Amino acid sequence: MAFLSATGTCVAIAETQPTTFDEAGYAALTWETIGEVTDTGDWGGSFAVVQHQNICDGVMKKAKGSFDPGQADMTLAVDPEDAGQLIVKDYYNGDKRFDSAPIRITDPWGTIDYVTAKVVSFTKSASSPDDPYTAAVSLAYDREFVTVEPSTGV
């Protein structure tokens, strides 16, 4: 099994909403890459665990419960002129602050994950003279991911 470094992973954002929340709807959007992302955070959802313990046999029974698309804390080096970062800020505390931001994450293999998210934080940090001025951006995903695998050409 081969592996790749994270180099080539890109996160993009769109200013408009898709007409449908499927591959075609997301693909039709105009995307702006969010510049200077150094860490995407983890993405992907999880199910709640529903538990029940019968007092007769004491066995803990488990089932899948509700689905949470998740939340990611993305780190970026702040660039006040980066178009993607400006759109992120608009979804955080600008005119789009109550809207969900369409997000596209492309991995090094070419797999694309589409989703929408609320931008719930944009916190800045200046930690030392030898580090970049950064921001931590929290994305609260509010839909299931739509994953598009790259064409194999077969």
Side-chain angles (χ1 to χ4, degrees):
M1 181 76 163
F3 72 92
L4 296 174
S5 75
T7 302
T9 303
C10 296
V11 182
I13 191 167
E15 290 189 89
T16 59
Q17 299 298 309
T19 55
T20 57
F21 294 93
D22 57 11
E23 180 181 351
Y26 284 114
L29 296 175
T30 300
W31 295 95
E32 189 67 50
T33 298
I34 301 169
E36 306 305 329
V37 173
T38 59
D39 187 343
T40 64
D42 297 336
W43 72 92
S46 62
F47 287 89
V49 177
V50 178
Q51 299 182 124
H52 164 74
Q53 189 170 17
N54 178 328
I55 62 171
C56 181
D57 63 15
V59 175
M60 180 68 70
K61 296 171 180 75
K62 297 179 182 180
K64 282 183 172 180
S66 60
F67 181 75
D68 180 350
Q71 182 164 325
D73 295 319
M74 182 172 64
T75 305
L76 51 86
V78 174
D79 178 350
E81 296 177 0
D82 181 79
Q85 290 187 25
L86 292 172
I87 297 169
V88 169
K89 286 181 180 179
D90 197 28
Y91 277 106
Y92 170 61
N93 66 356
D95 292 341
K96 298 181 183 300
R97 68 185 170 277
F98 298 113
D99 297 338
S100 293
I103 302 291
R104 181 186 71 193
I105 305 167
T106 307
D107 73 18
W109 293 274
T111 301
I112 298 172
D113 286 315
Y114 294 113
V115 69
T116 60
K118 301 291 189 196
V119 180
V120 296
S121 72
F122 191 103
T123 57
K124 299 174 193 171
S125 175
S127 57
S128 85
D130 295 325
D131 290 329
Y133 184 70
T134 62
V137 178
S138 291
L139 302 173
Y141 300 124
D142 57 5
R143 287 191 178 273
E144 290 191 46
F145 285 80
V146 174
T147 300
V148 180
E149 299 295 337
S151 173
T152 60
V154 176

